């Protein structure tokens, strides 16, 4: 084989190394050959797409669900023989570099994402065809970020209004002759990647059991194909608070840090969406654990979000 190496490289346009709608992506295709090589066609493509795939068992039948959406597709022909098949184009011996440039459409597109049964990818692909039996291919994905500051705004304008507002909820559970009341307050509904959020739990334990609050980040991935819908959920444990003995009350405040690599909330893809909840449960021995879920929007953080120091003091209004 005369083609020893084929690769695609691109130039970064910012410190994140990401691209957004309207950006120019430029780079080069590198080919290394052991001697002069005849080619039929040599091209590079840029593509953005979303795809979902999953299986369901319906009785004795396995049903396959899938869907795809193409956001853009561009093709640049580097070399192609004039007679489309006689191999008249030549690549010189050694290392050869071919530049390319594409402009990403300035339209609303979701950020790169990979979930349980679907993914959103943006890629560059090069293909070198020597003959119908000898085709060389290579591919590289590049990270893409939506321009929308709120990629969930179309879901509800009220979400944006409530991003900085406190969220509160109450749950009362009965155990035998006693009851446990749990009041949960989160500092706000919107938090950036890598930031911290304060959560306060007031527990009035009038039962004979010791209860312990636990804190979770609940992730919900939704996928849609051919009018069918499937959901994948995942609970990430943040940690536990101090136990509340029987016949006592206590307020526990905890600062929860959102991991910087957590994908932001989004709704701007017709085939999938990503949502979060903040869940607080009370671990009750030999009983069903009561829980409270509060809405949580994770926003895109800054490039240095992981260097931010966690907040040390959180103030809450007094719970009723």
């Amino acid at each position: 084989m005369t083609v020893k190496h084929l690769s695609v490289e691109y130039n970064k346009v910012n410190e994140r190394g990401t691209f957004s709608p309207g950006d120019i992506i430029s780079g080069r295709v590198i080919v290394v050959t052991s001697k002069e090589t005849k080619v039929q066609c040599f091209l590079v493509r840029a593509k953005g797409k979303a795809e979902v795939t999953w299986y369901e068992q319906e009785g004795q039948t396995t049903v396959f669900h899938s869907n795809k959406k193409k956001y853009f597709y561009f093709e640049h022909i580097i070399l192609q023989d004039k007679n489309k098949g006689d191999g008249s184009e030549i690549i010189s011996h050694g290392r050869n570099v071919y530049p390319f440039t594409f402009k990403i459409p300035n339209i609303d597109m979701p950020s790169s994402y990979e979930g349980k049964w679907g993914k959103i990818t943006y890629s560059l692909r090069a293909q070198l065809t020597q003959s119908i039996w000898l085709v060389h291919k290579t591919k590289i994905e590049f990270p893409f970020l939506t321009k929308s500051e709120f990629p969930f705004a179309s879901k509800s304008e009220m979400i944006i209004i409530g991003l900085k507002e406190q969220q509160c909820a109450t749950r009362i559970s009965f155990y035998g002759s006693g009851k446990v009341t749990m009041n949960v307050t989160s500092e706000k509904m919107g938090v950036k990647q890598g930031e911290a959020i304060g959560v306060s739990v007031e527990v009035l334990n009038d039962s004979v059991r010791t209860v312990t609050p636990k804190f979770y980040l609940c992730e919900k991935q939704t996928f849609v194909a051919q009018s069918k819908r499937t959901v994948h959920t995942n609970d990430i444990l943040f940690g536990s608070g101090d136990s509340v003995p029987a016949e006592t009350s206590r307020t526990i405040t905890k600062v929860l840090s959102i991991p910087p690599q957590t994908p932001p909330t989004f709704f701007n893809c017709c085939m999938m969406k990503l949502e979060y909840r903040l869940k607080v449960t009370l671990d009750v021995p030999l009983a069903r654990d009561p829980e409270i879920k509060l809405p949580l929007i994770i926003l895109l953080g800054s490039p240095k979000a992981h260097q931010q120091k966690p907040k040390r003091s959180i103030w809450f209004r007094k719970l009723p």
Side-chain angles (χ1 to χ4, degrees):
M1 294 179 62
T2 58
V3 176
K4 298 300 182 182
H5 174 80
L6 176 65
S7 64
V8 181
E9 299 176 355
Y10 62 85
N11 303 318
K12 295 182 179 181
V13 295
N14 54 45
E15 58 181 331
R16 283 182 182 270
T18 59
F19 295 84
S20 295
D23 284 348
I24 301 294
I25 181 167
S26 60
R28 64 210 63 83
V29 181
I30 301 172
V31 185
V32 179
T33 63
S34 59
K35 63 179 182 179
E36 284 193 352
T37 303
K38 292 183 178 181
V39 300
Q40 292 183 356
C41 186
F42 184 21
L43 53 83
V44 58
R45 301 183 178 103
K47 181 189 292 187
K49 67 177 182 178
E51 54 185 338
V52 297
T53 302
W54 77 90
Y55 297 87
E56 289 182 353
Q57 197 68 32
E58 297 182 1
Q60 300 297 319
T61 305
T62 300
V63 182
F64 174 72
H65 300 286
S66 68
N67 199 7
K68 293 183 180 181
K69 179 178 176 61
K70 188 183 296 181
Y71 292 108
F72 62 83
Y73 177 88
F74 300 110
E75 183 176 283
H76 170 63
I77 296 177
I78 299 172
L79 295 171
Q80 183 171 359
D81 55 30
K82 297 178 181 178
N83 297 323
K84 300 182 180 179
D86 65 356
S88 59
E89 292 294 338
I90 301 295
I91 294 180
S92 301
H93 166 246
R95 186 174 187 270
N96 300 267
V97 179
Y98 300 92
F100 64 83
T101 299
F102 296 109
K103 182 175 181 180
I104 300 173
N106 194 10
I107 57 177
D108 182 33
M109 293 179 285
S111 299
S112 301
Y113 175 71
E114 184 167 357
K116 180 69 174 179
W117 292 298
K119 58 184 179 180
I120 303 167
T121 58
Y122 298 86
S123 62
L124 295 165
R125 303 165 185 255
Q127 179 174 311
L128 191 157
T129 304
Q130 291 182 259
S131 69
I132 192 173
W133 308 111
L134 190 54
V135 180
H136 307 272
K137 296 180 179 180
T138 187
K139 170 187 172 183
I140 185 172
E141 294 184 1
F142 58 89
F144 183 86
L145 285 180
T146 179
K147 267 189 175 180
S148 174
E149 184 180 3
F150 305 112
F152 48 82
S154 59
K155 183 73 175 178
S156 173
E157 294 297 331
M158 294 303 294
I159 292 180
I160 301 177
I161 297 174
L163 286 178
K164 297 182 180 180
E165 297 294 325
Q166 286 185 344
Q167 308 295 310
C168 305
T170 300
R171 174 73 182 264
I172 301 176
S173 302
F174 293 89
Y175 301 99
S177 59
K179 69 175 182 178
V180 177
T181 303
M182 174 173 56
N183 295 308
V184 178
T185 301
S186 68
E187 180 188 9
K188 54 188 176 181
M189 183 169 64
V191 59
K192 291 184 178 181
Q193 296 167 307
E195 282 191 340
I197 182 172
V199 181
S200 177
V201 183
E202 183 184 31
V203 180
L204 288 74
N205 187 4
D206 293 327
S207 73
V208 295
R209 310 185 186 197
T210 297
V211 298
T212 305
K214 291 186 176 181
F215 303 85
Y216 297 86
L217 174 65
C218 300
E219 179 189 48
K220 179 181 178 182
Q221 304 173 16
T222 303
F223 305 90
V224 179
Q226 288 94 38
S227 301
K228 297 292 183 178
R229 177 177 174 268
T230 188
V231 173
H232 173 71
T233 59
N234 182 36
D235 289 355
I236 303 169
L237 177 64
F238 275 125
S240 303
D242 296 333
S243 297
V244 182
E247 305 295 337
T248 61
S249 63
R250 181 174 293 174
T251 299
I252 298 102
T253 298
K254 197 169 185 66
V255 177
L256 310 178
S257 295
I258 304 299
Q261 68 275 14
T262 304
T265 302
F266 71 87
F267 289 104
N268 61 340
C269 177
C270 62
M271 294 187 300
M272 65 188 84
K273 63 181 178 180
L274 179 63
E275 304 169 84
Y276 294 97
R277 295 288 186 275
L278 175 64
K279 182 171 77 172
V280 181
T281 67
L282 287 181
D283 187 6
V284 184
L286 303 176
R288 184 177 180 181
D289 297 345
E291 66 178 41
I292 288 178
K293 289 184 179 182
L294 296 176
L296 184 68
I297 300 293
I298 296 183
L299 304 169
L300 183 67
S302 62
K304 299 181 181 180
H306 63 282
Q307 297 178 354
Q308 294 178 354
K309 295 182 179 180
K311 298 180 181 179
R312 298 189 179 274
S313 61
I314 303 295
W315 293 89
F316 295 93
R317 68 168 188 258
K318 186 177 180 181
L319 291 167

